[in-house]
Amino acid sequence: MILAGSMQPYIWSLNGEVWPHVTPLMVAAGQRVALQMVNHTMMAHPMHLHGHVFQVTALNGVPLTGAIRDTVLVPPMGSVTIAFDADNPGRWAFHCHNLYHMMTGMMTEIRYPAII
């Protein structure tokens, strides 16, 4: 997942998409999901997942056994890989916890197939 944005115009995105015009990240119940976030900006982004907890499994490509959490800071021009179990069917927000980034587009949805 690519984290991107700019100050002029003030727009922030995930995978080149701006909320609410996004393609949900589809997961299947029972799946172990790994997600690498690559920050293409000069700002840190605290990424927050609703409905699940995850483990940080790599920081800037270096594997680690991180703590269980629901928010992780993705450093400027860095990367963080997380892993979580898809064990809570629904439609869940995944967004930057800098709310002025979320409100201008840095948000998507984790969705299970049978959920409308």
Side-chain angles (χ1 to χ4, degrees), residues 24-63:
L25 299 174
M26 301 300 293
V27 300
Q31 179 181 17
R32 178 73 169 171
V33 179
L35 178 63
Q36 181 185 40
M37 294 170 279
V38 180
N39 186 352
H40 285 188
T41 78
M42 296 303 292
M43 300 181 80
H45 295 285
M47 296 302 295
H48 176 66
L49 176 60
H50 289 246
H52 299 82
V53 293
F54 54 78
Q55 183 175 26
V56 177
T57 59
L59 177 60
N60 293 324
V62 178

Side-chain angles (χ1 to χ4, degrees), residues 98-111:
N98 286 334
L99 298 183
Y100 47 93
H101 292 173
M102 180 189 80
M103 293 303 292
T104 56
M106 193 173 271
M107 179 167 154
T108 193
E109 181 180 39
I110 303 287
R111 187 187 297 182

Side-chain angles (χ1 to χ4, degrees), residues 2 42 79:
I2 303 298
M42 296 303 292
S79 68

